[in-house]
């Protein structure tokens, strides 16, 4: 066993939150001071490990979404035909493209922090950290609406997500708020033991990388969190050491085909190894799980 029981217990605690909170507040302030953005209806919120409170010590950046609401991307694939007809009859074209909104967000950040700290990446805009803060990946996005019902009278019912247009490649659709809500609900069902277990598994991954058992970058935190999300609630035992073994044993016992067929993403909309935007591979995941089990 490469990990001691005291280590496993210590790994349940989250990483520092203060620097991430200060960074989030700073990014919101930067965007709010833009005269150009003032006329738009947009929302700013966290996504990723800090938003889900599954961050661990050593997590070095925070993911922040800047989502335009006045222009949205619709998904009407699950609407009945009559609802689709009503939607199309009432549809109003958007007025701001994803790239136009991205340019406004980038300019607001550059005006506030200076060009030297702001860097364009494929899916986001990086703002370099200073003392007391962490790096921020700001993701400009349009609101995504996955319509469930479009009635003749009354408000439409939809699931809110985000639509990201990278500098290169096709559009990416995520549902981070669904992921956050579902994770919180599972944590409550599991007696507040789901999120600590995710942190333990992420730290175990870090140890496996240090020991050369897992390749750097082959097991992102999002993938690990989603796999743990699929473990039955009853296996999240009270004891910190027994619980990791219980959860990991269930996952290791699955074949790659079973992982692909059974594992949903945390948003419960995507299938983790089928249509999740992360394009995860079930065979790679199986090898990672076996390596984690070996390290444990």
């Amino acid at each position: 066993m490469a990990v001691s029981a005291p280590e496993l217990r210590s790994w349940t605690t989250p990483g520092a939150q203060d620097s991430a909170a200060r960074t989030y507040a700073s990014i919101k302030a930067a965007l709010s001071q833009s005269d150009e953005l003032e006329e738009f209806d947009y929302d700013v919120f966290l996504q990723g490990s800090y938003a889900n409170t599954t961050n661990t010590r050593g997590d070095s950046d925070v993911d922040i979404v800047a989502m335009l609401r006045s222009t949205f991307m619709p998904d009407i694939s699950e609407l009945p035909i009559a609802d689709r007809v009503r939607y199309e009859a009432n549809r109003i074209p958007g007025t701001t493209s994803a790239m136009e909104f991205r340019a406004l967000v980038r300019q607001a950040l550059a005006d506030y922090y200076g060009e030297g700290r702001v860097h364009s990446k494929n899916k986001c805009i990086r703002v370099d950290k200073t003392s007391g803060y962490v790096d921020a990946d700001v993701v400009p996005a349009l609101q995504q609406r996955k319509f469930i019902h479009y009635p003749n009278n009354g408000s439409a019912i939809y699931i809110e997500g985000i639509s990201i247009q990278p500098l290169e490649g096709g559009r990416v659709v995520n549902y981070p708020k669904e992921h956050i809500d579902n994770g919180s609900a599972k944590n409550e069902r599991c007696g507040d033991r789901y999120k600590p277990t995710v942190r333990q598994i992420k730290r175990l991954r870090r140890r496996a990388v240090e020991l050369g058992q897992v390749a750097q970058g082959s097991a992102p935190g999002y993938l690990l969190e989603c796999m743990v999300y699929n473990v039955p609630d009853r296996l999240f035992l009270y004891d910190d050491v027994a619980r990791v073994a219980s959860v990991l044993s269930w996952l290791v016992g699955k074949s790659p085909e079973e992982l692909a067929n059974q594992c949903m993403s945390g948003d419960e909309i995507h299938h983790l190894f089928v249509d999740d935007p992360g394009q995860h591979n079930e065979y790679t995941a199986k090898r990672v799980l076996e390596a984690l089990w070996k390290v444990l």
Side-chain angles (χ1 to χ4, degrees), residues 47 64-66 99 102 119-126 137-141 162-174 277-279:
Q47 67 171 356
I64 302 169
V65 177
M99 287 303 176
R102 176 182 175 126
H119 314 281
S120 292
K121 300 173 68 176
N122 192 38
K123 296 178 184 177
C124 67
I125 301 163
R126 166 62 63 94
D137 284 339
V138 182
V139 182
I162 60 174
S163 173
I164 306 165
Q165 180 57 62
L167 297 177
E168 296 181 4
R171 192 166 63 93
V172 177
V173 174
N174 286 319
Q279 298 181 321

Side-chain angles (χ1 to χ4, degrees), residues 15-211:
Q17 301 281 347
D18 291 348
S19 56
R22 282 193 294 269
T23 302
Y24 176 45
S26 178
I27 295 294
K28 291 180 71 174
L31 298 177
S32 70
Q33 292 188 28
S34 167
D35 293 337
E36 288 75 15
L37 284 174
E38 188 176 9
E39 63 183 271
F40 291 92
D41 178 16
Y42 68 94
D43 189 15
V44 182
F45 55 91
L46 287 167
Q47 67 171 356
S49 62
Y50 280 99
N52 297 316
T53 60
T54 55
N55 59 301
T56 64
R57 183 178 300 175
D59 286 349
S60 58
D61 57 20
V62 61
D63 294 322
I64 302 169
V65 177
M67 181 189 72
L68 183 65
R69 286 190 292 225
S70 53
T71 295
F72 65 86
M73 298 296 293
D75 178 356
I76 61 173
S77 61
E78 295 188 9
L79 285 179
I81 293 177
D83 285 29
R84 294 189 196 185
V85 171
R86 280 193 291 270
Y87 171 79
E88 292 294 349
N90 291 282
R91 184 170 65 90
I92 300 174
T95 56
T96 307
S97 72
M99 287 303 176
E100 289 170 338
F101 183 63
R102 176 182 175 126
L104 291 172
V105 170
R106 191 201 179 284
Q107 189 59 54
L109 296 173
D111 290 344
Y112 191 85
Y113 296 108
E115 287 285 351
R117 289 181 58 195
V118 177
H119 314 281
S120 292
K121 300 173 68 176
N122 192 38
K123 296 178 184 177
C124 67
I125 301 163
R126 166 62 63 94
V127 178
D128 292 338
K129 65 183 178 182
T130 57
S131 179
Y133 296 80
V134 295
D135 292 328
D137 284 339
V138 182
V139 182
L142 302 184
Q143 184 189 57
Q144 176 80 12
R145 294 185 182 181
K146 185 177 180 65
F147 284 98
I148 306 302
H149 184 41
Y150 200 90
N152 193 33
N153 295 302
S155 300
I157 300 173
Y158 58 86
I159 301 172
E160 182 185 75
I162 60 174
S163 173
I164 306 165
Q165 180 57 62
L167 297 177
E168 296 181 4
R171 192 166 63 93
V172 177
V173 174
N174 286 319
Y175 295 88
K177 292 183 179 180
E178 293 297 303
H179 184 118
I180 293 168
D181 290 346
N182 291 338
S184 295
K186 184 174 182 72
N187 196 53
E188 184 174 350
R189 294 196 308 270
C190 296
D192 293 329
R193 295 189 288 273
Y194 161 63
K195 293 185 178 185
T197 309
V198 173
R199 297 185 205 111
Q200 288 176 301
I201 297 295
K202 290 170 70 173
R203 292 293 298 271
L204 186 62
R205 178 271 318 273
R206 191 177 302 169
R207 177 62 55 83
V209 171
E210 293 170 353
L211 294 173

